[in-house]
Amino acid sequence: MAKVLMKGNEALGEAAVRAGCRFFFGYPITPQSELPHYLAQRLPEVGGLFLQAESEVAAINMVYGAAGAGARVMTSSSSVGISLKMEGISYIAGAELPCVIVNVVRGGPGLGGIQPAQSDYFQAVKGGGHGDYHLLVLAPASVQEMVDLMAKAFDLADKYRNPVMVLADGILGQMMEPVEFPAEILQELPAKPWATDGARGRGPNLINSLYLEPEKLEEHNHRLFEKYRQMQEQETMAENYHTDDAEVVVAAYGSTARIAKAAVDMARKEGIKAGLFRPVTLYPFPTEEINQACAKAKQVLAVEMSMGQMIEDVKLSLNCRLPVSFYGRVGGMVPSTRAVYNEISALAQKGGEQA
Amino acid sequence: MAKVLMKGNEALGEAAVRAGCRFFFGYPITPQSELPHYLAQRLPEVGGLFLQAESEVAAINMVYGAAGAGARVMTSSSSVGISLKMEGISYIAGAELPCVIVNVVRGGPGLGGIQPAQSDYFQAVKGGGHGDYHLLVLAPASVQEMVDLMAKAFDLADKYRNPVMVLADGILGQMMEPVEFPAEILQELPAKPWATDGARGRGPNLINSLYLEPEKLEEHNHRLFEKYRQMQEQETMAENYHTDDAEVVVAAYGSTARIAKAAVDMARKEGIKAGLFRPVTLYPFPTEEINQACAKAKQVLAVEMSMGQMIEDVKLSLNCRLPVSFYGRVGGMVPSTRAVYNEISALAQKGGEQA
Amino acid sequence: MITIYERPQSLTANTMHYCPGCTHGIIHRLVAEVIDELDLREDTVGVCPVGCSVLAYNYFNLDMQQAAHGRAPAVATGIKRVHPAKVVFAYQGDGDLASIGAAEIVHAAARGEKISVIFVNNAIYGMTGGQMAPTTLIGQETTTSPNGRDAAVQGYPIRVAEMLATLEGSAYISRVSVHNNVNVIKAKAAIKKAFQTQLEGKGFSLVEILSTCPTNWGLTPLEAAKWLENNMIPYYPLGEFKAAKEVGS
Amino acid sequence: MITIYERPQSLTANTMHYCPGCTHGIIHRLVAEVIDELDLREDTVGVCPVGCSVLAYNYFNLDMQQAAHGRAPAVATGIKRVHPAKVVFAYQGDGDLASIGAAEIVHAAARGEKISVIFVNNAIYGMTGGQMAPTTLIGQETTTSPNGRDAAVQGYPIRVAEMLATLEGSAYISRVSVHNNVNVIKAKAAIKKAFQTQLEGKGFSLVEILSTCPTNWGLTPLEAAKWLENNMIPYYPLGEFKAAKEVGS
Amino acid sequence: MEKVIFAEDRCKGCEMCTAACPKGIIVMAKHLNSMGFHPATVTEQEKCISCGNCYRMCPDQVITVRKEEKK
Amino acid sequence: MEKVIFAEDRCKGCEMCTAACPKGIIVMAKHLNSMGFHPATVTEQEKCISCGNCYRMCPDQVITVRKEEKK
Amino acid sequence: MLEEVVLAGFGGQGVMSMGQLLAYAGMLEDKHVAWIPSYGPEMRGGTANCSVTISTEPISSPIITEPGTAIVLNKPSLDKFAPLVKPGGILLINSSLIDPGYFRPGIKIFEIPANDLALEMGNTRVANMVLLGAFIELTSAVSIDSVIESLKKVLPEYRHNLIPLNRAALEKGQQIAQNQ
Amino acid sequence: MLEEVVLAGFGGQGVMSMGQLLAYAGMLEDKHVAWIPSYGPEMRGGTANCSVTISTEPISSPIITEPGTAIVLNKPSLDKFAPLVKPGGILLINSSLIDPGYFRPGIKIFEIPANDLALEMGNTRVANMVLLGAFIELTSAVSIDSVIESLKKVLPEYRHNLIPLNRAALEKGQQIAQNQ
Ligand SMILES: Cc1ncc(C[n+]2csc(CCOP(=O)(O)OP(=O)(O)O)c2C)c(N)n1
Ligand SMILES: Cc1ncc(C[n+]2csc(CCOP(=O)(O)OP(=O)(O)O)c2C)c(N)n1
Ligand code: SF4
Ligand code: SF4
Ligand code: SF4
Ligand code: SF4
Ligand code: SF4
Ligand code: SF4
Ligand SMILES: [Mg+2]
Ligand SMILES: [Mg+2]
């Protein structure tokens, strides 16, 4: 297929359609509204359903119902709205239902602002809802990657029977880049013999997260964590950019990684051995990959549009064996390439000293 | 005052009343219902208001309104219900409103079970809601401490204009121990000139978390984090038990710390140099204190009723300089003293080896 | 001898966990009987709520989903939109439906969602220990209205059927009771009509069923039935509040 | 010469951010005029919603709280219970009140919460770019009903005033419009009655105000006023749906 | 053969059936069942008119009702 | 003195006032105000009957209306 | 002194209040005490249990995983808790409802026909008190007087007429245990 | 080749579509492109801006903090973006709406009376095209043909009658820039 110029939000929509997603339940919120607008038009064209729910709470529970009924289904929102979905997401994880949740992050806390941010990292990867559970979290850094990861998201959701979050931000959602879509619209979806579609010729199926006996609930938790272990083994993804010989490694994801990449370019021009490590899966965090990327590193710099969240996973993954510093902007402010370059350059001068 | 034998949930209620709290908005859920039951009876006696909200979402927003109006106010729930409050909690943190939120944790994820758990640690300390914010999180380990920390919670909330969470679990909520209450019922509360009580003879007050200009929102975030820095400096609390010469330090909070204490006793009887480090503030985490407690340690063991959450803060606080192992039970299962002892004893044999 | 009344196919053989005399059990059976009679056992998906009936999935011999507290209508919507040809019902208590789930039920009705809701109104939160429900009567003592519900502080009980009947999307709305034989028969007819309304694609259907909670009312089952008759029915009048024409004819 | 009409005291001098001709501005002024006339400027706390009127705190010269989307009635409840002697009002859009906040408004009304709600029904989500609201008319095109609202898929618009009037706790409920002079005068009278209902402790009061969104309707302000008259009023009849006796007399 | 049959171990002794029986023939047994309840029972089977009232009011699906086959 | 006064820089040129004026004296100015709108104005002040209709329909508190003091 | 006891039986058998009384009595004697109930959703006819710790030292863990004593009032409770009793510990069996003959080496087992004895005294509701009396005799965890004192504080005034019966039941249990 | 350009003006001046056209044209030439808008809640009369990156290499960062070129259509945009232009960069000013005389050392400044020129051509709405033409002349980021090609793809068929006017405007801008 030829390339088309498309907004990230809309590209997510088209990618979902091509991945066989036919059901969207959501509630409007800036800066992700182009995604529902797109699907409101597009889904009926392919025999699918777009339904604006009465709230984010209703939306995530409609997703629960539809996922439990066997559909490829998604929802999307931004920060405030995602917080309202925490109970529902915990239920979906507990009931092991596959679905895709898009969070186009904006500044917080509270009503905050509508400009891009990455301050929902903890919520996405540690579990903003109650209980021990994890989403699989994918963080694209370009519109093309939004398309590619969206397809992947649905596959992973089905493979693990686990909710997958695509974590973007206002920049990615709003920006246009050329993209190529898979030519085919996926028609054949994996069989879901566990789904509730009327117990025709078989025993009843049950979608559930309640285990009143603690022994059973513990067992259930262990089963979930066995899945997470498998994901850690099989699904981590990351991009390395000039990390081979890098003495200063910048760790950044999403839009911020794009800025960091430009800063690395700038640093390389100045003869600084800088590199970029970009986790693509935020959960499971690419632990092995970051250790490889930092093989030659003396300093690590986490750059985020937050007050410092992913930095904890960076430190833990490296077992704190390298000094990890932080540079962040928040509330909708975006780091400039130069500011990141300045941080790199300062660290390069430090060598292996504790930051 | 003479000691009385009281359930943890009820003791929390009485302690709140004595701390001058006159407003409770909440929604029933096991295993914290004795707290609302108690206050439904008790608050009207002291001229206060108990109101059962239509939902947890409504409850937390009533708390927002009442806190913004200048009242000492609280809510309480358990796991599932706390997840529904995530948006509201993020708003309260963003609008810098003082209030107390009790979470009597039960097993998750989803509907999970109703037995005790500690699997909402991440949600409590990292911010289950969106955006960069933090609750002050207090974790009592006895009914008496529930009483003491409840009073403290209201004071800290007012001092920092920040929501404070009291993180308990089903055991603490349900168990009876003798407690002593402060004799006086607090009558004089701190003045709140910022509260919205009708702009009589002054300019209008505003309770708000919206900052459409990213520069302003960034500034606001920095202001919040300056508060958190101060809390870290001034408010951390922890208990040390036989840590002075301990080679194996168990880190545990809440009920689990009680079990760990008994296991330490058992180990000491066997001649093992074991100790217990019990964080009382989970956020801010007592970083300095744990480093002191581990001064002689060769091994650290995190024990939780979760799949391993606090362990991350333990590692980060220690900058990964000691091997940290984990023992946990989940889903309402409670670790036995003997099982924890066995872990300690195994670690004691390892010495300084990586776990 | 021929068997004329026995446990319907759409119920499993499991012994229910409900308290002695709790009419949740009767309502379960009525729903199952209707499903049997309409031959829908293999074409029905049920949604159970959070409340005493949370374990209904152990009793209905059907595909079931357990929904978060109050969200059964949203979950049922998700299922129905994926399988429009199947019959989807939600079973909800009064705390579940009228309190935390008020938005979801109003919107399912407004959307004309083609689902059937079995709404069990026992004027209390059974599961969690007898707290006040939105349907608790004025003066009624509960664990969170220990001195009786006071309208000045806690407001007035909600008449759900009447409220939902104002919405265009609702096609069949009625209130019945199961405190005695005659009413059980009528209740079953109403449930059947609700399912037929769905089968005929007419829109949203809901049957509000007055039910007892002997345990939390502090009464014997027989006293509870009397209490329902004497106290609930006067405030919650029985009858059809809305019916699409020609349903089930 | 004496000044007979000018900006009320209870509005600040700030220029509002609303689009040209958006009637949110008229409604703000009416609320402020009523507060002035009842001499309540220093005894009122307002709650603004999430929606185009999210910045209302910049315009009302009063103590204000900004509430989470849909939760203004809960926030107002919190304030009113702490300061029962003050006057508390919530200002909400139709997405805010009738969609995400449906449970909160139903329960504030059922509780007979002594607050006044100014409900601005413009049949659309203004703030977020013209999505369908629960009040969007059948056939109306919005960004999430690009081919016009289809009752079979998206259900029917909710008549909020009628629905809330079924609840015992609601004391004053009316629907007005501000699309022309005569109706603006009536709208103000209704708002005054709502505040008086609160002052007299009668219970919950709500005024639903039909309002324009020229921007998202894709019309000029004057066309929008006409559209409102021709399309909204037939579905949303104006009038009082409930009024406590002797209010404001 | 019996017209009305009680699955005794399911019975919770709630007495709803006793009140419902127009013939007043349902009584609570002296003994306890496996759940610790006094189960309902009918000894005068012949008086039963197979009306099904007991079945209808039993919340626990204890009761099966049969009638004579019409010839 | 003028009966109807426009705070010109607040005006968004929506024309709601023009439609409301029973005397039809409100017109849109040719020039732009600081916000880039053509503001509403009245030149024939003497025709104004101080009815306040324009004030009432103005969403932006642009208009102040005065009337002759009664003697 | 450290007593860790688990009390278990059917919902209506009064095990929760028996445990609370014991804890209360310990508190009156200025000992450290804790009482932890099992809890669950509203389900009738289930089993209920609680655990009580009484100690002269501050209590490390109030959560009892190896009880020094288990008092079991029905068969399911015997099955669940008898195996947990710590070596050298005590198992008190309500032999009115549990078939005799349970045996586990290394623990002391006492069979007390509590319901029968209570019935003899005219009220089966004090069966739990008979067992409590036996427990007190065997462990001296608290005194009978403290239990009675606690009863006075816990019971509403108009129920104080029941106190003599309760004392009698406690003493009956004490006697029986003495003689075993 | 790497062009990083910011386009800014009032809401109705067509800066967003101008940026999109530019990006589209770049894509048609098989270059790497990215377009990022400012976005905000519904508030009329505010300023709008977008940034466009066009490059022969893969784009590291599409977020432009130091634009190579800024095209400003009104005064607030001049104030905001002129200082950000990177040393050696280009500042294109719509001098129909902005008083002349802005100066910053080390950057190239061009004043184009875009509205006036557009008016001359009969339609002020193509003022943005005049500026775009000038930009193309100064940077050769894309060709005019590609822009026209893009227009054909973006405009609905019944609007294609506007294409000649747009081409004329682009060429007018080109000329003006040539002569500055
Ligand atoms: C989000 C959430 N809040 C609260 C609860 C606790 N809870 C469980 S059941 C219930 C009330 C059920 O009452 P009702 O719906 O009337 O059903 P009943 O038990 O009376 O049949 C509550 C509040 C929960 N599980 N989840
Ligand atoms: C929890 C949450 N969900 C969604 C949003 C996004 N949002 C902001 S305003 C709005 C709709 C407002 O529409 P309405 O209430 O009708 O007010 P109007 O703008 O039309 O006056 C939405 C969905 C939000 N801020 N918070
Ligand atoms: S608590 Fe009430 S509603 Fe629940 S099972 Fe028991 S009697 Fe029924
Ligand atoms: S978007 Fe609509 S409701 Fe919002 S200010 Fe503009 S016209 Fe008014
Ligand atoms: S069938 Fe009728 S007559 Fe026979 S036992 Fe049952 S209720 Fe009585
Ligand atoms: S109604 Fe059923 S459960 Fe109740 S006593 Fe009769 S047979 Fe037993
Ligand atoms: S006051 Fe009346 S007559 Fe005068 S300008 Fe305004 S609308 Fe016209
Ligand atoms: S109504 Fe007000 S804002 Fe609109 S044109 Fe008239 S004066 Fe200007
Ligand atoms: Mg109920
Ligand atoms: Mg609206």
Side-chain angles (χ1 to χ4, degrees), chain D residues 159-166 170-176 206 208 236-243:
Chain D
R159 294 191 186 89
V160 170
E162 286 85 335
M163 182 176 80
L164 297 182
T166 67
S170 61
Y172 180 73
I173 308 275
S174 70
R175 186 182 289 116
V176 297
L206 176 141
E208 175 171 341
Y236 297 115
L238 307 183
E240 280 187 0
F241 296 90
K242 199 158 184 187

Side-chain angles (χ1 to χ4, degrees), chain A residues 3-5 7 31 114-116 170-171 174-178 258-259 262 265 336-338, chain H residues 20 23-24 27 31-41 59-63 65-66:
Chain A
K3 289 207 173 179
V4 290
L5 190 66
K7 274 201 170 192
I114 57 171
Q115 302 302 322
I171 297 172
Q174 297 295 326
M175 97 178 184
M176 286 179 130
E177 285 186 319
R258 300 288 292 270
I259 298 163
D265 288 345
S336 72
T337 306
R338 182 161 306 274
Chain H
Q20 283 186 14
Y24 209 116
M27 182 180 76
K31 291 174 177 145
H32 298 269
V33 300
W35 172 89
I36 302 184
S38 67
Y39 61 91
I59 297 169
S60 290
S61 171
I63 297 134
T65 40
E66 296 174 15

Side-chain angles (χ1 to χ4, degrees), chain G residues 111-164:
Chain G
E111 296 185 351
I112 315 259
N115 288 56
D116 299 311
L117 292 167
L119 197 62
E120 275 172 28
M121 302 175 68
N123 192 335
T124 49
R125 311 204 92 211
V126 293
N128 58 350
M129 285 298 170
V130 174
L131 286 160
L132 189 55
F135 168 75
I136 288 172
E137 173 61 23
L138 294 169
T139 62
S140 310
V142 295
S143 74
I144 297 244
D145 284 346
S146 304
V147 176
I148 293 298
E149 201 53 40
S150 309
L151 255 183
K152 283 187 190 150
K153 305 226 160 154
V154 167
L155 283 183
E157 199 76 50
Y158 70 92
R159 290 277 191 170
H160 280 197
N161 58 330
L162 295 175
I163 289 177

Side-chain angles (χ1 to χ4, degrees), chain B residues 6-24:
Chain B
M6 220 170 179
K7 274 200 169 193
N9 282 334
E10 294 173 348
L12 284 174
E14 183 60 29
V17 167
R18 297 203 181 218
C21 171
R22 288 295 171 277
F23 294 88
F24 178 97

